[in-house]
Amino acid sequence: MANNGVKEPLLSDSLDPAARKALRQLNKRRFRRCRSAPPTDLDIPETNGNISTPRSESIFGNIHPSFKEVATCLAVYLGVGVIIFYLCRDQIKGQKTDRILDALYFTIVTMTTVGYGDLVPNSDLTKLLACAFVFSGMAVGALILSKAADFLVEKQEVLLVKAMHMHMRQKVGPAEILKEIEINKTRYKLFLVFFLLLIIIILGTIFLVTVEKLEIIDAFYCVCSTITTLGYGDKSFSTQAGRIFALFWILTGTVCVAQFFLYIAELSTESRQKALVKWVLTRKMTNLDLEAADLDDDGSVGATEFIIYKLKEMGKISQEDISLVMKEFEELDVDQSGTLSSSDITLAQSS
């Protein structure tokens, strides 16, 4: 990355002629803050300086759409898997307990790609079914990873920030908490998933020692090989109680591990982005930068042009993004005045 003494502008491309013309018209008006903004989905009421969450009228009356989507896909996948592998139970060999439980356990192990080997397909039909279920299971797992797990973590962010400030004996209001969450969002998610992962590892190890009667090293080894989907198969859940526990534990553990490494990668990317933003905002402007920022070629740089230029340097927007936005503006600006009014919006909607 260049230093502050850089002579060349970071951006050399410019707007197309049509966009330049529209921007020239826009710059005739002073840049000012918007007096209002559309409401956001996040609405946290304040009660005596604390953040309170409104209660729903029923248990299922306020379920997040992500939960509904994930729960439906997971229920369909597991239901179909149980039916198919129950009917094909005689074509699966290995350590068996209850027929329905084994079918559900086999479906979960296949979906999470753990594949212990304690239950394996023993015919051409079951082998082909296992191939189909492992690919579809990975798709369902990706859906869970992107929606349900992320949503659960976000719900705990406010509690984590409040707990940290309570530990330091600092009183913060809702605005300060939301601001801190927004700034350190990925870091808090990483901490929460890490703590959850520790709990899952400890619970799994204790259960394998007490119920499956494994040595503590073997239990920890089984836990690690399971949640990382390594699944050697020399240690697994062989009892009926163990497989009931595994139905929930395997799915939760594998998702948490995937989420943990996803947040590590996201935090690394976010750190690089913040470093770029800091460099863009602290480096000295040159005459070449001024020329590159003068998008409408009028010899001066307005606030709108400066903001667009800096955002492009930061990588927040691209030339294509600007062109698309300017195209939409031109379509809404029916009277070609360079500004939008209620009459423009009305005419644009009626056309």
Side-chain angles (χ1 to χ4, degrees):
M1 187 174 289
N3 55 29
N4 288 345
V6 65
K7 297 298 182 182
E8 294 293 332
L10 187 61
L11 301 172
S12 59
D13 56 338
S14 58
L15 293 174
D16 53 76
R20 284 179 178 273
K21 180 180 178 181
L23 187 58
R24 189 179 296 112
Q25 293 175 329
L26 281 174
N27 281 333
K28 291 179 181 179
R29 301 190 64 182
R30 294 181 60 188
F31 179 78
R32 61 184 180 184
R33 295 179 182 271
C34 182
R35 290 178 296 176
S36 62
T40 61
D41 294 334
L42 184 59
D43 184 17
I44 302 183
E46 183 176 358
T47 305
N48 297 328
N50 297 322
I51 292 181
S52 61
T53 304
R55 298 180 180 178
S56 58
E57 295 180 358
S58 63
I59 298 177
F60 303 101
N62 200 25
I63 297 180
H64 193 272
S66 296
F67 273 138
K68 294 180 181 179
E69 185 178 352
V70 169
T72 301
C73 292
L74 185 60
V76 171
Y77 177 86
L78 295 179
V80 173
V82 169
I83 293 173
I84 290 177
F85 291 119
Y86 177 81
L87 296 175
C88 300
R89 61 189 181 278
D90 295 330
Q91 301 177 46
I92 298 175
K93 66 178 182 179
Q95 302 175 6
K96 298 181 180 179
T97 57
D98 180 78
R99 292 182 175 183
I100 296 179
L101 177 61
D102 289 343
L104 183 56
Y105 171 75
F106 183 78
T107 304
I108 292 287
V109 170
T110 302
M111 171 188 174
T112 55
T113 69
V114 173
Y116 286 123
D118 50 355
L119 292 175
V120 294
N122 196 32
S123 68
D124 293 340
L125 175 62
T126 51
K127 288 177 182 178
L128 291 174
L129 288 171
C131 292
F133 267 83
V134 72
F135 281 108
S136 57
M138 290 173 69
V140 174
L143 179 64
I144 295 173
L145 182 64
S146 62
K147 293 186 179 294
D150 201 42
F151 176 72
L152 282 172
V153 170
E154 287 178 352
K155 282 297 182 183
Q156 305 305 318
E157 287 177 348
V158 173
L159 296 179
L160 177 62
V161 176
K162 289 184 69 177
M164 291 176 63
H165 284 285
M166 287 176 63
H167 177 70
M168 295 183 291
R169 296 184 179 181
Q170 296 177 349
K171 292 184 178 181
V172 292
E176 289 79 6
I177 289 179
L178 292 178
K179 182 179 179 180
E180 185 168 343
I181 290 175
E182 187 63 29
I183 295 174
N184 301 299
K185 192 178 187 68
T186 305
R187 183 175 286 105
Y188 287 138
K189 286 183 178 181
L190 181 63
F191 289 158
L192 286 167
V193 172
F194 176 73
F195 292 143
L196 182 58
L197 191 58
L198 281 180
I199 294 173
I200 290 172
I201 291 174
I202 293 171
L203 286 177
T205 303
I206 293 174
F207 184 89
L208 287 168
V209 169
T210 56
V211 178
E212 296 288 338
K213 306 303 180 183
L214 298 181
E215 296 294 331
I216 187 167
I217 298 298
D218 289 338
F220 181 72
Y221 161 77
C222 181
V223 164
C224 293
S225 64
T226 299
I227 62 178
T228 57
T229 71
L230 187 59
Y232 285 120
D234 50 345
K235 304 294 179 182
S236 63
F237 296 88
S238 57
T239 64
Q240 186 172 352
R243 289 185 176 176
I244 293 174
F245 173 79
L247 298 179
F248 308 97
W249 182 83
I250 291 177
L251 186 59
T252 306
T254 52
V255 168
C256 281
V257 168
Q259 199 79 359
F260 176 72
F261 288 107
L262 176 65
Y263 288 145
I264 290 179
E266 188 177 334
L267 187 61
S268 176
T269 303
E270 188 179 277
S271 298
R272 290 197 299 270
Q273 180 62 35
K274 287 181 178 180
L276 175 61
V277 170
K278 182 179 180 181
W279 175 76
V280 168
L281 294 178
T282 54
R283 79 181 188 90
K284 295 180 180 179
M285 288 284 291
T286 65
N287 289 330
L288 291 177
D289 292 314
L290 196 64
E291 292 177 8
D294 185 14
L295 301 178
D296 58 0
D297 293 329
D298 64 349
S300 62
V301 176
T304 304
E305 292 172 303
F306 184 78
I307 291 171
I308 292 175
Y309 180 71
K310 285 298 181 180
L311 288 176
K312 288 178 67 178
E313 276 193 318
M314 295 175 188
K316 301 289 187 180
I317 58 174
S318 65
Q319 182 62 44
E320 183 181 0
D321 297 329
I322 298 172
S323 299
L324 290 173
V325 173
M326 294 305 299
K327 181 180 179 181
E328 182 181 0
F329 178 85
E330 292 172 2
E331 292 175 353
L332 293 174
D333 186 16
V334 179
D335 59 4
Q336 300 295 311
S337 64
T339 59
L340 294 181
S341 62
S342 58
S343 60
D344 286 322
I345 303 300
T346 303
L347 290 172
Q349 290 177 347
S350 61
S351 60

